[in-house]
PDB file of all heavy atoms in Angstrom:
ATOM      1  N   LEU G 929      96.703 104.581 109.853  1.00 97.00           N
ATOM      2  CA  LEU G 929      97.262 104.783 108.515  1.00 97.00           C
ATOM      3  C   LEU G 929      96.724 106.073 107.904  1.00 97.00           C
ATOM      4  O   LEU G 929      96.728 106.219 106.676  1.00 97.00           O
ATOM      5  CB  LEU G 929      96.911 103.586 107.628  1.00 97.00           C
ATOM      6  CG  LEU G 929      97.305 102.210 108.178  1.00 97.00           C
ATOM      7  CD1 LEU G 929      96.882 101.109 107.223  1.00 97.00           C
ATOM      8  CD2 LEU G 929      98.801 102.129 108.460  1.00 97.00           C
ATOM      9  N   GLN G 930      96.295 107.006 108.729  1.00 97.00           N
ATOM     10  CA  GLN G 930      95.722 108.244 108.222  1.00 97.00           C
ATOM     11  C   GLN G 930      96.751 109.024 107.396  1.00 97.00           C
ATOM     12  O   GLN G 930      97.904 109.168 107.797  1.00 97.00           O
ATOM     13  CB  GLN G 930      95.228 109.116 109.373  1.00 97.00           C
ATOM     14  CG  GLN G 930      94.061 108.522 110.128  1.00 97.00           C
ATOM     15  CD  GLN G 930      93.500 109.493 111.148  1.00 97.00           C
ATOM     16  OE1 GLN G 930      92.907 110.500 110.789  1.00 97.00           O
ATOM     17  NE2 GLN G 930      93.690 109.184 112.424  1.00 97.00           N
ATOM     18  N   ASP G 931      96.287 109.471 106.221  1.00 97.00           N
ATOM     19  CA  ASP G 931      97.075 110.309 105.309  1.00 97.00           C
ATOM     20  C   ASP G 931      98.290 109.596 104.719  1.00 97.00           C
ATOM     21  O   ASP G 931      99.137 110.241 104.100  1.00 97.00           O
ATOM     22  CB  ASP G 931      97.539 111.605 106.004  1.00 97.00           C
ATOM     23  CG  ASP G 931      96.372 112.428 106.495  1.00 97.00           C
ATOM     24  OD1 ASP G 931      95.371 112.549 105.750  1.00 97.00           O
ATOM     25  OD2 ASP G 931      96.441 112.948 107.624  1.00 97.00           O
ATOM     26  N   ARG G 932      98.375 108.295 104.865  1.00 98.00           N
ATOM     27  CA  ARG G 932      99.492 107.542 104.277  1.00 98.00           C
ATOM     28  C   ARG G 932      99.192 107.208 102.819  1.00 98.00           C
ATOM     29  O   ARG G 932      98.038 107.108 102.405  1.00 98.00           O
ATOM     30  CB  ARG G 932      99.746 106.250 105.054  1.00 98.00           C
ATOM     31  CG  ARG G 932     100.243 106.463 106.475  1.00 98.00           C
ATOM     32  CD  ARG G 932     101.758 106.684 106.569  1.00 98.00           C
ATOM     33  NE  ARG G 932     102.226 107.883 105.949  1.00 98.00           N
ATOM     34  CZ  ARG G 932     102.335 109.056 106.589  1.00 98.00           C
ATOM     35  NH1 ARG G 932     101.966 109.165 107.846  1.00 98.00           N
ATOM     36  NH2 ARG G 932     102.807 110.110 105.955  1.00 98.00           N
ATOM     37  N   LYS G 933     100.259 107.014 102.041  1.00 98.00           N
ATOM     38  CA  LYS G 933     100.131 106.697 100.624  1.00 98.00           C
ATOM     39  C   LYS G 933     101.053 105.540 100.262  1.00 98.00           C
ATOM     40  O   LYS G 933     102.172 105.451 100.758  1.00 98.00           O
ATOM     41  CB  LYS G 933     100.466 107.916  99.760  1.00 98.00           C
ATOM     42  CG  LYS G 933      99.550 109.111  99.970  1.00 98.00           C
ATOM     43  CD  LYS G 933      99.950 110.274  99.074  1.00 98.00           C
ATOM     44  CE  LYS G 933      99.032 111.467  99.289  1.00 98.00           C
ATOM     45  NZ  LYS G 933      99.403 112.623  98.431  1.00 98.00           N
ATOM     46  N   HIS G 934     100.553 104.664  99.403  1.00 98.00           N
ATOM     47  CA  HIS G 934     101.344 103.595  98.812  1.00 98.00           C
ATOM     48  C   HIS G 934     101.951 102.686  99.891  1.00 98.00           C
ATOM     49  O   HIS G 934     103.159 102.536 100.013  1.00 98.00           O
ATOM     50  CB  HIS G 934     102.438 104.171  97.907  1.00 98.00           C
ATOM     51  CG  HIS G 934     101.919 105.113  96.866  1.00 98.00           C
ATOM     52  ND1 HIS G 934     101.144 104.683  95.811  1.00 98.00           N
ATOM     53  CD2 HIS G 934     102.034 106.461  96.747  1.00 98.00           C
ATOM     54  CE1 HIS G 934     100.822 105.734  95.064  1.00 98.00           C
ATOM     55  NE2 HIS G 934     101.329 106.816  95.618  1.00 98.00           N
ATOM     56  N   LEU G 935     101.042 102.056 100.654  1.00 98.00           N
ATOM     57  CA  LEU G 935     101.417 101.063 101.651  1.00 98.00           C
ATOM     58  C   LEU G 935     100.682  99.765 101.358  1.00 98.00           C
ATOM     59  O   LEU G 935      99.580  99.768 100.797  1.00 98.00           O
ATOM     60  CB  LEU G 935     101.052 101.513 103.067  1.00 98.00           C
ATOM     61  CG  LEU G 935     101.625 102.806 103.627  1.00 98.00           C
ATOM     62  CD1 LEU G 935     101.124 103.010 105.043  1.00 98.00           C
ATOM     63  CD2 LEU G 935     103.140 102.797 103.592  1.00 98.00           C
ATOM     64  N   ILE G 936     101.268  98.643 101.792  1.00 98.00           N
ATOM     65  CA  ILE G 936     100.585  97.354 101.811  1.00 98.00           C
ATOM     66  C   ILE G 936     100.737  96.791 103.218  1.00 98.00           C
ATOM     67  O   ILE G 936     101.855  96.632 103.721  1.00 98.00           O
ATOM     68  CB  ILE G 936     101.164  96.372 100.777  1.00 98.00           C
ATOM     69  CG1 ILE G 936     100.941  96.888  99.356  1.00 98.00           C
ATOM     70  CG2 ILE G 936     100.532  94.989 100.948  1.00 98.00           C
ATOM     71  CD1 ILE G 936     101.541  95.999  98.276  1.00 98.00           C
ATOM     72  N   ILE G 937      99.602  96.496 103.838  1.00 98.00           N
ATOM     73  CA  ILE G 937      99.566  95.904 105.173  1.00 98.00           C
ATOM     74  C   ILE G 937      98.954  94.525 105.022  1.00 98.00           C
ATOM     75  O   ILE G 937      97.813  94.394 104.567  1.00 98.00           O
ATOM     76  CB  ILE G 937      98.713  96.759 106.138  1.00 98.00           C
ATOM     77  CG1 ILE G 937      99.139  98.226 106.105  1.00 98.00           C
ATOM     78  CG2 ILE G 937      98.755  96.185 107.545  1.00 98.00           C
ATOM     79  CD1 ILE G 937     100.552  98.475 106.526  1.00 98.00           C
ATOM     80  N   GLU G 938      99.681  93.465 105.404  1.00 97.00           N
ATOM     81  CA  GLU G 938      99.132  92.130 105.170  1.00 97.00           C
ATOM     82  C   GLU G 938      99.590  91.136 106.239  1.00 97.00           C
ATOM     83  O   GLU G 938     100.664  91.273 106.836  1.00 97.00           O
ATOM     84  CB  GLU G 938      99.509  91.623 103.770  1.00 97.00           C
ATOM     85  CG  GLU G 938     100.976  91.579 103.456  1.00 97.00           C
ATOM     86  CD  GLU G 938     101.255  91.274 101.985  1.00 97.00           C
ATOM     87  OE1 GLU G 938     100.326  91.304 101.167  1.00 97.00           O
ATOM     88  OE2 GLU G 938     102.429  91.004 101.668  1.00 97.00           O
ATOM     89  N   ASN G 939      98.724  90.152 106.484  1.00 97.00           N
ATOM     90  CA  ASN G 939      98.997  89.043 107.400  1.00 97.00           C
ATOM     91  C   ASN G 939      99.219  89.506 108.834  1.00 97.00           C
ATOM     92  O   ASN G 939      99.991  88.884 109.573  1.00 97.00           O
ATOM     93  CB  ASN G 939     100.214  88.223 106.933  1.00 97.00           C
ATOM     94  CG  ASN G 939      99.995  87.554 105.608  1.00 97.00           C
ATOM     95  OD1 ASN G 939      98.877  87.463 105.127  1.00 97.00           O
ATOM     96  ND2 ASN G 939     101.073  87.086 104.994  1.00 97.00           N
ATOM     97  N   LEU G 940      98.561  90.590 109.249  1.00 96.00           N
ATOM     98  CA  LEU G 940      98.691  91.069 110.619  1.00 96.00           C
ATOM     99  C   LEU G 940      97.426  90.754 111.410  1.00 96.00           C
ATOM    100  O   LEU G 940      96.343  90.580 110.843  1.00 96.00           O
ATOM    101  CB  LEU G 940      98.941  92.578 110.644  1.00 96.00           C
ATOM    102  CG  LEU G 940     100.138  93.105 109.853  1.00 96.00           C
ATOM    103  CD1 LEU G 940     100.279  94.606 110.054  1.00 96.00           C
ATOM    104  CD2 LEU G 940     101.426  92.382 110.239  1.00 96.00           C
ATOM    105  N   THR G 941      97.563  90.694 112.742  1.00 96.00           N
ATOM    106  CA  THR G 941      96.432  90.608 113.654  1.00 96.00           C
ATOM    107  C   THR G 941      96.300  91.955 114.349  1.00 96.00           C
ATOM    108  O   THR G 941      97.288  92.471 114.894  1.00 96.00           O
ATOM    109  CB  THR G 941      96.647  89.496 114.693  1.00 96.00           C
ATOM    110  OG1 THR G 941      96.772  88.239 114.018  1.00 96.00           O
ATOM    111  CG2 THR G 941      95.480  89.435 115.672  1.00 96.00           C
ATOM    112  N   VAL G 942      95.101  92.537 114.308  1.00 96.00           N
ATOM    113  CA  VAL G 942      94.908  93.878 114.857  1.00 96.00           C
ATOM    114  C   VAL G 942      93.741  93.845 115.835  1.00 96.00           C
ATOM    115  O   VAL G 942      92.601  93.603 115.441  1.00 96.00           O
ATOM    116  CB  VAL G 942      94.652  94.914 113.748  1.00 96.00           C
ATOM    117  CG1 VAL G 942      94.593  96.324 114.343  1.00 96.00           C
ATOM    118  CG2 VAL G 942      95.731  94.845 112.664  1.00 96.00           C
ATOM    119  N   TRP G 943      94.042  94.102 117.119  1.00 95.00           N
ATOM    120  CA  TRP G 943      92.999  94.218 118.139  1.00 95.00           C
ATOM    121  C   TRP G 943      92.694  95.704 118.319  1.00 95.00           C
ATOM    122  O   TRP G 943      93.081  96.341 119.284  1.00 95.00           O
ATOM    123  CB  TRP G 943      93.467  93.579 119.444  1.00 95.00           C
ATOM    124  CG  TRP G 943      93.497  92.092 119.377  1.00 95.00           C
ATOM    125  CD1 TRP G 943      94.474  91.310 118.828  1.00 95.00           C
ATOM    126  CD2 TRP G 943      92.495  91.212 119.861  1.00 95.00           C
ATOM    127  NE1 TRP G 943      94.139  89.979 118.940  1.00 95.00           N
ATOM    128  CE2 TRP G 943      92.939  89.889 119.568  1.00 95.00           C
ATOM    129  CE3 TRP G 943      91.271  91.391 120.496  1.00 95.00           C
ATOM    130  CZ2 TRP G 943      92.183  88.766 119.911  1.00 95.00           C
ATOM    131  CZ3 TRP G 943      90.524  90.273 120.848  1.00 95.00           C
ATOM    132  CH2 TRP G 943      90.986  88.978 120.554  1.00 95.00           C
ATOM    133  N   GLY G 944      92.001  96.264 117.347  1.00 95.00           N
ATOM    134  CA  GLY G 944      91.680  97.676 117.325  1.00 95.00           C
ATOM    135  C   GLY G 944      91.404  98.087 115.890  1.00 95.00           C
ATOM    136  O   GLY G 944      91.486  97.273 114.965  1.00 95.00           O
ATOM    137  N   SER G 945      91.078  99.352 115.699  1.00 96.00           N
ATOM    138  CA  SER G 945      90.704  99.834 114.366  1.00 96.00           C
ATOM    139  C   SER G 945      91.923  99.972 113.461  1.00 96.00           C
ATOM    140  O   SER G 945      93.023 100.283 113.912  1.00 96.00           O
ATOM    141  CB  SER G 945      90.007 101.194 114.476  1.00 96.00           C
ATOM    142  OG  SER G 945      88.820 101.095 115.238  1.00 96.00           O
ATOM    143  N   VAL G 946      91.678  99.788 112.161  1.00 97.00           N
ATOM    144  CA  VAL G 946      92.625 100.166 111.116  1.00 97.00           C
ATOM    145  C   VAL G 946      92.043 101.416 110.464  1.00 97.00           C
ATOM    146  O   VAL G 946      91.022 101.345 109.773  1.00 97.00           O
ATOM    147  CB  VAL G 946      92.813  99.037 110.086  1.00 97.00           C
ATOM    148  CG1 VAL G 946      93.776  99.481 108.983  1.00 97.00           C
ATOM    149  CG2 VAL G 946      93.316  97.770 110.771  1.00 97.00           C
ATOM    150  N   ASP G 947      92.678 102.558 110.694  1.00 97.00           N
ATOM    151  CA  ASP G 947      92.112 103.843 110.283  1.00 97.00           C
ATOM    152  C   ASP G 947      92.771 104.307 108.989  1.00 97.00           C
ATOM    153  O   ASP G 947      93.975 104.564 108.948  1.00 97.00           O
ATOM    154  CB  ASP G 947      92.323 104.886 111.380  1.00 97.00           C
ATOM    155  CG  ASP G 947      91.455 106.122 111.178  1.00 97.00           C
ATOM    156  OD1 ASP G 947      90.995 106.355 110.034  1.00 97.00           O
ATOM    157  OD2 ASP G 947      91.233 106.863 112.151  1.00 97.00           O
ATOM    158  N   LEU G 948      91.961 104.443 107.938  1.00 98.00           N
ATOM    159  CA  LEU G 948      92.444 104.824 106.612  1.00 98.00           C
ATOM    160  C   LEU G 948      92.040 106.245 106.225  1.00 98.00           C
ATOM    161  O   LEU G 948      92.136 106.600 105.047  1.00 98.00           O
ATOM    162  CB  LEU G 948      91.903 103.851 105.559  1.00 98.00           C
ATOM    163  CG  LEU G 948      92.362 102.399 105.659  1.00 98.00           C
ATOM    164  CD1 LEU G 948      91.599 101.546 104.659  1.00 98.00           C
ATOM    165  CD2 LEU G 948      93.851 102.285 105.407  1.00 98.00           C
ATOM    166  N   ARG G 949      91.609 107.061 107.163  1.00 97.00           N
ATOM    167  CA  ARG G 949      91.157 108.409 106.795  1.00 97.00           C
ATOM    168  C   ARG G 949      92.298 109.187 106.138  1.00 97.00           C
ATOM    169  O   ARG G 949      93.393 109.304 106.669  1.00 97.00           O
ATOM    170  CB  ARG G 949      90.676 109.152 108.033  1.00 97.00           C
ATOM    171  CG  ARG G 949      90.151 110.553 107.737  1.00 97.00           C
ATOM    172  CD  ARG G 949      89.509 111.142 108.968  1.00 97.00           C
ATOM    173  NE  ARG G 949      89.002 112.481 108.699  1.00 97.00           N
ATOM    174  CZ  ARG G 949      89.609 113.605 109.110  1.00 97.00           C
ATOM    175  NH1 ARG G 949      90.727 113.529 109.805  1.00 97.00           N
ATOM    176  NH2 ARG G 949      89.092 114.783 108.833  1.00 97.00           N
ATOM    177  N   GLY G 950      92.027 109.697 104.946  1.00 97.00           N
ATOM    178  CA  GLY G 950      93.021 110.450 104.202  1.00 97.00           C
ATOM    179  C   GLY G 950      94.021 109.594 103.442  1.00 97.00           C
ATOM    180  O   GLY G 950      94.899 110.135 102.759  1.00 97.00           O
ATOM    181  N   ALA G 951      93.895 108.269 103.519  1.00 98.00           N
ATOM    182  CA  ALA G 951      94.855 107.385 102.852  1.00 98.00           C
ATOM    183  C   ALA G 951      94.567 107.298 101.353  1.00 98.00           C
ATOM    184  O   ALA G 951      93.418 107.407 100.916  1.00 98.00           O
ATOM    185  CB  ALA G 951      94.806 105.997 103.471  1.00 98.00           C
ATOM    186  N   GLU G 952      95.618 107.076 100.570  1.00 98.00           N
ATOM    187  CA  GLU G 952      95.498 106.863  99.128  1.00 98.00           C
ATOM    188  C   GLU G 952      96.385 105.695  98.717  1.00 98.00           C
ATOM    189  O   GLU G 952      97.521 105.589  99.154  1.00 98.00           O
ATOM    190  CB  GLU G 952      95.926 108.117  98.354  1.00 98.00           C
ATOM    191  CG  GLU G 952      95.050 109.330  98.589  1.00 98.00           C
ATOM    192  CD  GLU G 952      95.451 110.509  97.726  1.00 98.00           C
ATOM    193  OE1 GLU G 952      96.081 110.268  96.664  1.00 98.00           O
ATOM    194  OE2 GLU G 952      95.161 111.656  98.089  1.00 98.00           O
ATOM    195  N   ASP G 953      95.823 104.834  97.879  1.00 98.00           N
ATOM    196  CA  ASP G 953      96.568 103.686  97.355  1.00 98.00           C
ATOM    197  C   ASP G 953      97.189 102.862  98.482  1.00 98.00           C
ATOM    198  O   ASP G 953      98.357 102.481  98.435  1.00 98.00           O
ATOM    199  CB  ASP G 953      97.645 104.158  96.374  1.00 98.00           C
ATOM    200  CG  ASP G 953      97.055 104.819  95.146  1.00 98.00           C
ATOM    201  OD1 ASP G 953      96.497 104.103  94.299  1.00 98.00           O
ATOM    202  OD2 ASP G 953      97.130 106.058  95.042  1.00 98.00           O
ATOM    203  N   VAL G 954      96.385 102.571  99.496  1.00 98.00           N
ATOM    204  CA  VAL G 954      96.799 101.736 100.621  1.00 98.00           C
ATOM    205  C   VAL G 954      96.041 100.421 100.553  1.00 98.00           C
ATOM    206  O   VAL G 954      94.822 100.402 100.330  1.00 98.00           O
ATOM    207  CB  VAL G 954      96.562 102.442 101.969  1.00 98.00           C
ATOM    208  CG1 VAL G 954      96.772 101.475 103.135  1.00 98.00           C
ATOM    209  CG2 VAL G 954      97.491 103.648 102.104  1.00 98.00           C
ATOM    210  N   THR G 955      96.752  99.327 100.749  1.00 98.00           N
ATOM    211  CA  THR G 955      96.174  97.986 100.723  1.00 98.00           C
ATOM    212  C   THR G 955      96.171  97.394 102.122  1.00 98.00           C
ATOM    213  O   THR G 955      97.186  97.450 102.836  1.00 98.00           O
ATOM    214  CB  THR G 955      96.977  97.074  99.782  1.00 98.00           C
ATOM    215  OG1 THR G 955      96.830  97.526  98.443  1.00 98.00           O
ATOM    216  CG2 THR G 955      96.514  95.628  99.887  1.00 98.00           C
ATOM    217  N   VAL G 956      95.021  96.821 102.529  1.00 98.00           N
ATOM    218  CA  VAL G 956      94.916  96.047 103.761  1.00 98.00           C
ATOM    219  C   VAL G 956      94.357  94.687 103.363  1.00 98.00           C
ATOM    220  O   VAL G 956      93.211  94.596 102.923  1.00 98.00           O
ATOM    221  CB  VAL G 956      94.000  96.731 104.794  1.00 98.00           C
ATOM    222  CG1 VAL G 956      93.930  95.898 106.072  1.00 98.00           C
ATOM    223  CG2 VAL G 956      94.491  98.141 105.105  1.00 98.00           C
ATOM    224  N   ARG G 957      95.155  93.650 103.501  1.00 98.00           N
ATOM    225  CA  ARG G 957      94.677  92.333 103.055  1.00 98.00           C
ATOM    226  C   ARG G 957      95.228  91.210 103.945  1.00 98.00           C
ATOM    227  O   ARG G 957      96.288  91.319 104.537  1.00 98.00           O
ATOM    228  CB  ARG G 957      95.049  92.083 101.596  1.00 98.00           C
ATOM    229  CG  ARG G 957      96.524  91.976 101.297  1.00 98.00           C
ATOM    230  CD  ARG G 957      96.751  91.827  99.804  1.00 98.00           C
ATOM    231  NE  ARG G 957      98.164  91.921  99.468  1.00 98.00           N
ATOM    232  CZ  ARG G 957      98.630  92.229  98.260  1.00 98.00           C
ATOM    233  NH1 ARG G 957      97.781  92.445  97.257  1.00 98.00           N
ATOM    234  NH2 ARG G 957      99.930  92.298  98.035  1.00 98.00           N
ATOM    235  N   ARG G 958      94.439  90.149 104.002  1.00 97.00           N
ATOM    236  CA  ARG G 958      94.769  88.943 104.768  1.00 97.00           C
ATOM    237  C   ARG G 958      95.085  89.252 106.235  1.00 97.00           C
ATOM    238  O   ARG G 958      95.932  88.604 106.845  1.00 97.00           O
ATOM    239  CB  ARG G 958      95.922  88.184 104.107  1.00 97.00           C
ATOM    240  CG  ARG G 958      95.576  87.641 102.722  1.00 97.00           C
ATOM    241  CD  ARG G 958      96.597  86.632 102.228  1.00 97.00           C
ATOM    242  NE  ARG G 958      97.882  87.236 101.934  1.00 97.00           N
ATOM    243  CZ  ARG G 958      98.191  87.813 100.772  1.00 97.00           C
ATOM    244  NH1 ARG G 958      97.289  87.844  99.794  1.00 97.00           N
ATOM    245  NH2 ARG G 958      99.382  88.321 100.571  1.00 97.00           N
ATOM    246  N   CYS G 959      94.407  90.257 106.779  1.00 97.00           N
ATOM    247  CA  CYS G 959      94.567  90.601 108.190  1.00 97.00           C
ATOM    248  C   CYS G 959      93.374  90.097 109.000  1.00 97.00           C
ATOM    249  O   CYS G 959      92.286  89.898 108.458  1.00 97.00           O
ATOM    250  CB  CYS G 959      94.701  92.118 108.358  1.00 97.00           C
ATOM    251  SG  CYS G 959      96.235  92.814 107.678  1.00 97.00           S
ATOM    252  N   LYS G 960      93.598  89.915 110.288  1.00 97.00           N
ATOM    253  CA  LYS G 960      92.523  89.602 111.223  1.00 97.00           C
ATOM    254  C   LYS G 960      92.314  90.823 112.103  1.00 97.00           C
ATOM    255  O   LYS G 960      93.232  91.235 112.829  1.00 97.00           O
ATOM    256  CB  LYS G 960      92.877  88.391 112.073  1.00 97.00           C
ATOM    257  CG  LYS G 960      93.054  87.105 111.266  1.00 97.00           C
ATOM    258  CD  LYS G 960      93.458  85.946 112.163  1.00 97.00           C
ATOM    259  CE  LYS G 960      93.656  84.669 111.356  1.00 97.00           C
ATOM    260  NZ  LYS G 960      94.090  83.538 112.228  1.00 97.00           N
ATOM    261  N   VAL G 961      91.111  91.409 112.019  1.00 97.00           N
ATOM    262  CA  VAL G 961      90.815  92.635 112.736  1.00 97.00           C
ATOM    263  C   VAL G 961      89.646  92.371 113.682  1.00 97.00           C
ATOM    264  O   VAL G 961      88.577  91.928 113.253  1.00 97.00           O
ATOM    265  CB  VAL G 961      90.460  93.781 111.758  1.00 97.00           C
ATOM    266  CG1 VAL G 961      90.155  95.052 112.538  1.00 97.00           C
ATOM    267  CG2 VAL G 961      91.596  94.006 110.766  1.00 97.00           C
TER     268      VAL G 961
END
Side-chain angles (χ1 to χ4, degrees):
L929 306 179
Q930 294 187 69
D931 301 318
R932 294 276 65 90
K933 298 180 180 180
H934 306 291
L935 301 181
I936 296 177
I937 309 299
E938 56 189 11
N939 296 346
L940 304 183
T941 299
V942 186
W943 287 81
S945 299
V946 178
D947 195 340
L948 296 173
R949 182 172 180 256
E952 296 184 23
D953 296 287
V954 170
T955 293
V956 181
R957 65 184 172 201
R958 296 193 291 275
C959 292
K960 297 178 181 178
V961 180

